[in-house]
Structures are given as C-alpha cells and as structure tokens.
C-alpha cells in the first residue's frame, strides 16, 4: 500500500531518498527551508546545487511549509545536517498527529552534547507521538543513488518490526536494505567514519599512495570499533555496511565531501577557506571534535582522531602529526583495544 512520507531536508541525500521513495510508488513531500530551491524542484524538477542535472519526477512535491509536509505522514524522514536536527525536531514535535515512524539518515554526533542523533530525536519528540525511531545508514553516495546505481544500506532500530517496515518502504531492484538491531553501532559507525574520511583526504592531498590509504582505513576501523564498543555497540556491526562498508566508500571516493575537504587541507588550504569553498556541510570536521572529546570522556585511545583534531583545531603540523603516529610504541595488531 502506498504511504505518505515527509522527507525533511532537501540536500543531496534527502532529495535522492525522496526520489527513491516516490519512484517506489509512495506519496512524498520534500521539505526545505530555501524558497528558491523548493521552487526549482517544483518547477524545473532539478536540485542543481546538490544533484547537478539529475531530473526529478515531475510530480514530486517540495514545500517550505513544515505542517503541510507532516500532514497525514506515515513516515517522517530526517535528512539534515547534525546541527539542524534538534531545532527542526523541536519544530516538528507539536505538529505530529498521525503517529508516524521516525527515520533519520544523518551521520554525526551533536557537537555540544556528543549525543547520537536518535537520542536527540528521543529528547525532542514526545514518545506518544510516534511509533519508533529507525536509523538509515550505510555506503551510499546520493549522486549514485539518484541515477539508480546499485546500493545496499542498513535500517537499524530496537523495534525490529519498524526496521522491517522501512526496509520494505525503500527496497527495489537497485536499492537494497538490511535490518540491524544495533542502533548504537550503526550511528557511531556513520559518524566516526567521517573523521577517518577527512584524514584519508589529507593523505591523498599530500600524495601518499595506496599503502597509506589501506593502513589508514584499517586502523581507522580499529579506532571506530574500540570507540563504539566502549559506548555499547556490537562489534559485528563494524564489519557490516554501516561500518567497514561506509568507511570504504567515504575514504576512497571524490563524491565524499569529507574526503574532498581533507584533500584540500592536505594541499595546504586553510580550514576556513576549505569549508567556505565546499558550499555544503562537511560533517567530519565538527564530528572530529565531538569524537575526540567523547573518546576522552570514555577513556578510548584514538590516535588518528587525535592527530586530525590537533591539525583542525590546534593548528598542528600535518607531517609532524603523521610522524608521531608512525613512531608510536610498537603494538600487536591482534588486540584491537591496543589501538
């Protein structure tokens, strides 16, 4: 049966997911806060700043009216920058009347509180106003999903039936969804991989090769595993789609904003100029600070994250940071907790 879905966030990923849902036969309303962008989607059927010349369905509707988007919604999908989740959730809370399933497809930790996005949503939305919260995450560039490239991602929830509903809502012959009960692991993997992706871009900008890339991804995965497990995640999650899968795609593709930002930093561009030039949110920069601070709170050693934090927030020298990483005391690889 067709469902109504309110997609909150008209960036690249929100627009791509709205397109998938619409083409799966559902009623979709895409909400954005920029009138000119909404008009472009409705009149020209493009979202050029985010998805180039990709054509959107002619009858896919966009609006700046949050109440209109939420009216009768069976599902509410948050696809917003992490910093926007709480204020938008506050605005959404009094407008929920149809007991929807809440989905979020954002990847980060709230900077001030270090909280996962599902926790922020739980704090801002009344429990009686929605059925469940489902996290959508995995290796997925919006640009590729929008042109129907093969993609597999994860729907995670403590409510397995809700995760299965989201799975069936989105699945088609190019977009495959798996379920996972480990919300903590999926959200931590989604957030922390952005940190490693910025570092991967830095190495590429410095002209290091494939050996360095492989080392960074592998040891980055070790850091993410240690960090996530300290917060209560299942280690098996990190060898799945929202762990190593998302890490690979984000650390190796020019589609990745985090990789591109890191590359520019490796080329010597100042951070503030890099962020200005990107014209889009680079989650990995703020997430580096959140992960660094939270790792200190929970007592997890994260050498790569520490080195990147030193470069981004303390003006540290990149090559000196790499030398420090390479010259740490010898350790065994087999004990992941050793870092």
């Amino acid at each position: 049966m067709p469902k109504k879905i309110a997609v909150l966030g008209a960036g690249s990923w929100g627009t791509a997911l709205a397109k998938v849902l619409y083409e799966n036969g559902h009623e979709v309303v895409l909400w954005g806060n920029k009138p000119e962008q909404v008009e472009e989607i409705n009149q020209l059927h493009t979202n050029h700043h985010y998805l180039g010349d990709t054509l959107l369905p002619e009858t896919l509707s966009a609006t700046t009216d949050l109440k209109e988007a939420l009216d009768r919604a069976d599902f509410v999908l948050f696809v917003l920058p992490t910093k926007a989740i709480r204020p938008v959730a506050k605005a959404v809370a009094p407008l929920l009347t149809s007991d929807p399933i809440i989905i979020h497809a954002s990847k980060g930790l709230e900077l001030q509180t270090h909280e996962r996005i599902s926790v922020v949503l739980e704090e801002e939305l009344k429990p009686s106003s929605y059925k469940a919260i489902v996290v959508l995450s995995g290796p997925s560039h919006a640009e590729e999903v929008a042109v129907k490239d093969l993609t597999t991602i994860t729907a995670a929830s403590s409510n397995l039936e809700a995760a299965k509903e989201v799975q069936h809502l989105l699945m088609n012959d190019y977009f495959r969804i798996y379920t996972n009960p480990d919300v903590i692991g999926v959200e931590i993997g989604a957030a922390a991989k952005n940190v490693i992706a910025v570092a991967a871009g830095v190495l590429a900008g410095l002209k290091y090769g494939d050996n360095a890339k492989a080392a960074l991804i592998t040891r980055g995965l070790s850091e993410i595993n240690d960090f996530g497990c300290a917060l209560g995640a299942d280690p098996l999650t990190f060898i799945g789609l929202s762990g190593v899968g998302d890490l690979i795609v984000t650390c190796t593709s020019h589609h990745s904003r985090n990789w591109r930002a890191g590359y520019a930093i490796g080329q010597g561009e100042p951070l503030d100029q890099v962020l200005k030039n990107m014209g889009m949110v680079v989650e990995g920069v703020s997430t580096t600070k959140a992960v660094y601070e939270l790792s200190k709170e929970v007592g997890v050693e994260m050498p790569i994250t520490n080195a990147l934090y030193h470069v981004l927030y303390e003006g540290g020298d990149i090559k000196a940071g790499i030398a420090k990483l390479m010259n740490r005391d010898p350790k065994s690889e087999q004990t992941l907790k050793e870092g």
Side-chain angles (χ1 to χ4, degrees), residues 7-336:
V7 180
L8 309 184
S12 54
W13 192 214
T15 305
L17 287 173
K19 182 174 182 287
V20 171
L21 289 162
Y22 183 90
E23 292 175 346
N24 281 3
H26 302 293
E27 179 185 354
V28 181
V29 177
L30 181 59
W31 174 82
N33 61 359
K34 298 177 180 178
E36 65 278 10
Q37 182 187 30
V38 166
E39 183 178 2
E40 179 191 348
I41 293 168
N42 287 331
Q43 299 300 322
L44 302 179
H45 318 300
T46 59
N47 191 353
H48 193 270
H49 180 69
Y50 291 98
L51 290 178
D53 295 329
T54 299
L55 284 177
L56 304 174
E58 289 190 4
T59 50
L60 174 62
S61 174
T63 183
T64 57
D65 186 333
L66 191 56
K67 185 175 181 180
E68 176 188 344
L70 294 170
D71 182 48
R72 301 179 293 102
D74 300 296
F75 297 83
V76 178
L77 172 54
F78 286 78
V79 199
L80 298 159
T82 300
K83 65 181 181 181
I85 293 290
R86 193 179 292 277
V88 174
K90 283 181 183 292
V92 165
L95 301 176
L96 290 181
T97 58
S98 53
D99 196 28
I101 289 175
I102 304 296
I103 314 167
H104 89 74
S106 302
K107 299 180 179 181
L109 296 176
E110 190 174 50
L111 187 56
Q112 295 81 5
T113 65
H114 307 152
E115 289 178 347
R116 292 177 288 110
I117 293 170
S118 66
V119 175
V120 174
L121 292 172
E122 287 170 355
E123 289 176 351
E124 297 300 335
L125 304 178
K126 297 176 183 178
S128 60
S129 68
Y130 64 90
K131 291 178 182 176
I133 293 176
V134 179
V135 180
L136 200 62
S137 187
S140 48
H141 289 310
E143 298 88 344
E144 295 184 359
V145 172
V147 296
K148 302 185 179 182
D149 207 337
L150 299 179
T151 304
T152 60
I153 63 175
T154 297
S157 180
S158 57
N159 183 325
L160 185 57
E161 289 307 311
K164 288 179 178 179
E165 285 194 53
V166 172
Q167 182 181 46
H168 289 296
L169 190 74
L170 282 157
M171 275 186 61
N172 56 39
D173 58 3
Y174 66 89
F175 201 58
R176 182 170 177 81
I177 316 296
Y178 291 83
T179 61
N180 189 327
D182 181 21
V183 174
I184 295 174
V186 168
E187 289 189 298
I188 291 301
K193 61 89 184 177
N194 286 334
V195 178
I196 306 304
V198 175
V202 170
L203 288 184
L206 289 167
K207 305 302 182 185
Y208 286 102
D210 293 338
N211 293 354
K213 182 193 303 179
L216 178 77
I217 292 172
T218 307
R219 298 312 302 168
L221 182 62
S222 174
E223 284 194 13
I224 294 170
N225 177 83
D226 291 352
F227 182 55
C229 289
L231 296 169
D234 181 345
L236 289 176
T237 296
F238 300 116
I239 60 171
L241 290 168
S242 56
V244 66
D246 212 357
L247 188 63
I248 289 170
V249 80
T250 315
C251 288
T252 61
S253 174
H254 291 210
H255 286 314
S256 168
R257 300 174 199 173
N258 296 291
W259 186 94
R260 296 202 312 270
Y263 184 87
I265 292 166
Q267 291 274 290
E269 291 186 34
L271 177 59
D272 57 350
Q273 189 62 45
V274 170
L275 298 179
K276 181 179 178 181
N277 291 343
M278 289 292 292
M280 301 181 190
V281 174
V282 182
E283 290 280 10
V285 172
S286 60
T287 303
T288 297
K289 188 173 190 292
V291 171
Y292 172 84
E293 292 172 350
L294 185 54
S295 70
K296 299 302 181 186
E297 291 177 26
V298 299
V300 175
E301 184 184 2
M302 302 185 73
I304 298 169
T305 301
N306 293 354
L308 185 61
Y309 175 86
H310 185 54
V311 169
L312 296 180
Y313 289 97
E314 297 178 340
D317 180 77
I318 297 174
K319 291 190 175 181
I322 293 171
K324 185 176 179 180
L325 279 172
M326 296 299 291
N327 288 294
R328 290 178 301 133
D329 292 341
K331 296 184 177 183
S332 168
E333 181 185 26
Q334 291 193 314
T335 305
L336 291 178

